[in-house]
């Protein structure tokens, strides 16, 4: 693991690393914020998964998590959203290929040799973080848009690995959305029965979540028809799943929205991790 950059932030340290990934078959980059509390010992971890077209850097610089993480004593991990490099398959559109890994394990060519973001987050990067950074084996997970979908699906499928879960404007029902059907068809093939394990609403229907769930959604989000928050809210009501889907009046899909409620989400996770 190679340190690329390090900056002081709210008494802690914002670092960026790169490392060779056996899972993705390329070099991967991620960011890690370490709060000032690491001076006294390991701290819990909050994972933040970013959305379409993002890298590790977008949320690191725009989401405003550092101030709140320093206050509550949480490390924050910002992974990349896909494998990258000259030998990694890509597509001309922003919503497929590099920058659009959708946190799945691809099973079709030409994607399957590199696009294994599910295994990368759950297994490989988790091991890298645990082995090299001063963190406890107590994890929460959140994310925005495609990353919100990834956070919900990864947490529900690995409830033994995560203690807390939230999301910002997640792609809630991708098997019924153009943000999902296009990508799942490319990465996973035309057998739609294989798509369900990456659909937040369907996973919630089948398994539920062991704790409570916090979801924030902007009322003026320009992608509401693609995100389908009503599907997730309806499923939470039908399952009597503890939690909240909060419609935030006037907010859109941007990082201004994420930044506005970052403090709520960090406090939410800190209350369940500390």
């Amino acid at each position: 693991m190679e340190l690329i950059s390090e900056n002081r932030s709210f008494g802690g340290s914002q670092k960026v690393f790169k490392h060779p990934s056996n899972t993705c078959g390329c070099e991967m980059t991620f960011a890690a914020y370490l709060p000032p509390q690491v001076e006294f010992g390991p701290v819990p971890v909050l994972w933040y998964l970013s959305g379409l077209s993002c890298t590790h850097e977008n949320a690191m610089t725009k989401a405003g998590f550092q101030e709140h993480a320093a206050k509550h004593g949480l490390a924050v991990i910002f992974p990349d959203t896909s494998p990258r490099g000259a030998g990694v398959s890509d597509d001309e559109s922003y919503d497929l290929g590099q920058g659009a890994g959708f946190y799945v394990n691809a099973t079709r060519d030409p994607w399957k040799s590199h696009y294994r973001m599910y295994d990368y987050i759950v297994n490989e990067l988790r091991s890298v973080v645990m082995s090299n950074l001063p963190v406890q084996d107590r994890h929460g997970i959140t994310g925005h848009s495609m990353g919100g979908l990834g956070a919900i699906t990864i947490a529900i499928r690995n409830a033994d690995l995560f203690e807390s879960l939230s999301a910002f404007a997640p792609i809630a029902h991708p098997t019924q959305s153009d943000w999902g059907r296009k990508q799942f068809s490319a990465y996973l093939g035309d057998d739609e029965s294989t798509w369900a394990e990456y659909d937040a609403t369907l996973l919630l229907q089948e398994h539920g979540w062991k704790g409570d769930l916090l979801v924030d959604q902007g009322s003026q989000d320009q992608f509401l028809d693609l995100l389908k928050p009503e599907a997730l809210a309806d499923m939470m009501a039908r399952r009597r799943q503890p939690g909240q889907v909060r419609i935030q009046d006037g907010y859109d899909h941007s990082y201004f929205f994420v930044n506005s409620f970052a403090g709520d989400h960090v406090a939410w996770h800190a209350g369940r991790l500390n």
Side-chain angles (χ1 to χ4, degrees), residues 1-266:
M1 195 169 77
E2 179 182 346
L3 179 65
I4 298 175
S5 65
E6 181 174 5
N7 299 94
R8 195 72 169 164
S9 178
F10 294 98
S13 181
Q14 178 63 65
K15 300 172 184 278
V16 177
F17 299 97
K18 64 180 179 180
H19 70 104
S21 168
N22 292 326
T23 302
C24 296
C26 63
E27 192 169 72
M28 296 293 287
T29 303
F30 73 96
Y33 177 71
L34 300 177
Q37 290 85 345
V38 297
E39 180 180 347
F40 306 103
V43 297
V45 187
L46 177 59
W47 294 76
Y48 180 97
L49 305 186
S50 292
L52 285 165
S53 78
C54 291
T55 70
H56 68 280
E57 187 175 17
N58 298 76
M60 179 186 80
T61 59
K62 297 179 181 179
F65 272 64
Q66 291 86 348
E67 179 178 6
H68 309 295
K71 176 182 177 181
H72 293 284
L74 298 183
V76 185
I77 304 299
F78 303 94
D80 203 346
T81 55
S82 76
R84 297 182 189 272
V88 177
S89 297
D90 200 8
D91 188 88
E92 292 181 356
S93 60
Y94 76 97
D95 59 355
L96 186 68
Q98 295 188 34
F102 263 75
Y103 304 100
V104 306
N105 287 337
T107 57
R108 293 190 69 198
D109 289 328
W111 312 103
K112 65 182 182 181
S113 58
H114 296 286
Y115 284 77
R116 304 190 60 81
M117 289 300 295
Y118 177 88
D119 279 352
Y120 175 70
I121 299 296
V122 172
N123 298 314
E124 186 176 37
L125 185 56
R126 181 188 179 95
S127 178
V128 168
V129 167
M130 292 297 297
S131 299
N132 293 279
L133 298 178
V135 297
Q136 300 174 11
D137 193 10
R138 290 187 61 78
H139 303 258
I141 190 166
T142 189
H144 175 227
S145 194
M146 178 185 72
L149 167 64
I152 295 172
T153 57
I154 285 172
I156 289 177
R157 292 177 61 185
N158 300 274
D160 58 325
L161 300 182
F162 295 94
E163 299 301 322
S164 56
L165 170 62
S166 74
F168 298 83
I171 302 173
H173 201 9
T175 60
Q176 302 302 314
S177 169
D178 287 343
W179 273 358
R181 296 190 63 82
K182 171 185 176 179
Q183 294 80 6
F184 291 173
S185 178
Y187 295 144
L188 306 174
D190 295 330
D191 181 0
E192 296 188 18
S193 66
T194 66
W195 300 0
E197 63 183 348
Y198 299 111
D199 186 300
T201 298
L202 296 181
L203 281 173
L204 189 67
Q205 178 181 28
E206 182 175 358
H207 301 290
W209 166 244
K210 67 180 183 180
D212 49 355
L213 171 63
L214 174 63
V215 176
D216 274 313
Q217 171 64 62
S219 69
Q220 299 302 308
D221 194 312
Q222 58 271 47
F223 302 113
L224 279 173
D225 289 344
L226 294 166
L227 300 171
K228 300 189 180 298
E230 68 281 355
L232 186 66
D234 179 64
M235 187 56 64
M236 288 176 65
R238 287 165 57 188
R239 278 196 59 96
R240 297 181 173 86
Q241 170 68 46
Q244 305 174 58
V245 177
R246 308 191 305 188
I247 306 300
Q248 303 293 359
D249 187 33
Y251 286 88
D252 58 17
H253 198 69
S254 70
Y255 274 101
F256 294 107
F257 158 66
V258 175
N259 191 297
S260 296
F261 300 100
D264 287 358
H265 284 248
V266 172

